[in-house]
Amino acid sequence: MADAFRPLFGYRANRKGTDAFLATLAKPLLAQAGPDLELDRTKDVFLGSYLLKCDPAWRRGSQQIGSCVGWGWALSVDILAACDIHLRHESEVWGGRTLEASIYGLSRVEVRGERNLGGDGSYGAAAAKAVTNYGTLHYGVDYAGQRFTDNSGAREKLWGRDGLPDELEPFAAKHKVSSVALVRTFEDAGKAIQNGYPVAVCSMRGFSMKMRDGYLSPSGQWPHCMMFAAVKWSPRPALLCVNSWGDCYDGTVDEALPPQFQRSAGWVEADVCTEMLDDGDSFALSGFAGFPPRTLPNWTGGVL
């Protein structure tokens, strides 16, 4: 296991807040939002491949405070953006990784309408409201002279206490997720993933840190947010659960996965996935408002 591994959590279930958010959605359930989605039990899909097309140097970072909700949702937004570009062929370009601190801070302060909440942590529906109502920021983008390039636990702590700085909110509002839908079962998550919609998952299910051929074994409790990025059917039906602790897992890996995912993620069997999703605070994402194509210089000299 990597020396930098730190098992940090940060999911704080909030049933009242989640139910209140769901009540605002016209179609809160995946079956309502995507009634035509079908599950193909012969089709393996790995959405991380689209992310790596956009960002070949991508590696999973490691949260420094109890900000897992920001991390699980930020990666979900990144994979959604990549799927919009390469799977749905939308007229967008890759804008860089989503800044985890932006979702984390918005979910704690702007969504709840109060500062100085104390401690760390957030919940899935708060992040869902953050990305759909308030938007996202990204690494490496110039925001009127401010540019964020480092993974900063101090920034997450600050924004988790005070919220997103006011001057940054208009920039975040340019890049929202258009819709989310509650996912409650392995089958629904599989449908979403097979159609290019990643799933951010919040639950209390913990796992052993030692994999066997890439599969994770349930063990203990984790109040934690991660995300599902793939579905496969053999040797056992499972979803790929990506963590936010860097290359944290020991044991034998699934060598069919790209190296960036082999020790930062693991396969979770179908019944365990349904157990996680049945906690009722996990969402499929769709419709990211991405970055417009860059304007090229006029090389025709005005002839055309």
Side-chain angles (χ1 to χ4, degrees):
M1 189 179 299
D3 292 340
F5 167 67
R6 297 180 64 196
L8 293 170
F9 304 109
Y11 171 50
R12 292 186 179 184
N14 185 329
R15 191 69 256 165
K16 182 178 179 180
T18 297
D19 288 344
F21 173 70
L22 291 172
T24 69
L25 302 181
K27 298 178 179 180
L29 304 179
L30 185 73
Q32 298 168 323
D36 297 327
L37 298 182
E38 296 182 355
L39 184 65
D40 184 342
R41 295 181 182 274
T42 68
K43 184 179 180 181
D44 295 347
V45 172
F46 172 53
L47 299 183
S49 63
Y50 300 107
L51 174 64
L52 295 179
K53 284 184 179 181
C54 290
D55 188 1
W58 178 89
R59 294 198 70 87
R60 189 59 167 148
S62 184
Q63 64 184 93
Q64 298 177 9
I65 68 167
S67 55
C68 60
V69 171
W71 282 75
W73 275 82
L75 181 57
S76 298
V77 171
D78 289 345
I79 289 180
L80 174 63
C83 288
D84 283 351
I85 294 168
H86 289 289
L87 184 63
R88 286 176 278 275
H89 306 292
E90 296 183 9
S91 182
E92 300 173 358
V93 298
W94 178 245
R97 281 175 50 210
T98 300
L99 187 66
E100 298 87 3
S102 64
I103 299 176
Y104 179 65
L106 287 166
S107 75
R108 278 176 57 90
V109 179
E110 280 79 3
V111 166
R112 299 187 189 194
E114 58 181 304
R115 299 175 184 267
N116 300 310
L117 287 172
D120 293 333
S122 189
Y123 60 100
K129 186 172 181 178
V131 301
T132 54
N133 287 26
Y134 295 94
T136 60
L137 298 178
H138 291 72
Y139 284 96
V141 176
D142 184 352
Y143 297 117
Q146 295 189 66
R147 188 186 300 268
F148 306 102
T149 59
D150 62 321
N151 165 24
S152 170
R155 180 183 305 116
E156 292 178 350
K157 179 74 74 172
L158 178 64
W159 290 3
R161 184 193 71 198
D162 298 338
L164 201 67
D166 290 346
E167 69 271 16
L168 295 176
E169 289 192 19
F171 295 107
K174 295 179 181 179
H175 301 290
K176 297 178 181 179
V177 172
S178 65
S179 63
V180 297
L182 189 69
V183 175
R184 296 295 297 262
T185 67
F186 166 82
E187 288 77 13
D188 277 351
K191 290 178 187 178
I193 291 167
Q194 285 184 343
N195 286 274
Y197 305 119
V199 176
V201 53
C202 289
S203 83
M204 297 298 296
R205 166 48 58 207
F207 296 90
S208 166
M209 298 309 300
K210 190 167 186 176
M211 297 187 294
R212 178 176 295 180
D213 298 330
Y215 279 79
L216 296 175
S217 299
S219 178
Q221 286 193 327
W222 291 354
H224 199 29
C225 177
M226 298 180 281
M227 64 85 57
F228 290 137
V231 59
K232 74 170 184 175
W233 302 97
S234 178
R236 300 180 299 282
L239 302 178
L240 186 70
C241 190
V242 189
N243 210 329
S244 51
W245 299 339
D247 289 342
C248 59
Y249 293 112
D250 284 326
T252 53
V253 303
D254 180 353
E255 295 184 353
L257 290 172
Q260 297 98 315
F261 286 87
Q262 288 180 3
R263 294 198 180 277
S264 65
W267 293 104
V268 177
E269 294 187 40
D271 59 338
V272 181
C273 292
T274 293
E275 175 194 342
M276 297 170 72
L277 295 165
D278 194 49
D279 284 352
D281 200 15
S282 302
F283 296 84
L285 294 74
S286 67
F288 180 65
F291 291 76
R294 299 176 181 89
T295 302
L296 299 177
N298 179 9
W299 59 271
T300 66
V303 175
L304 298 180

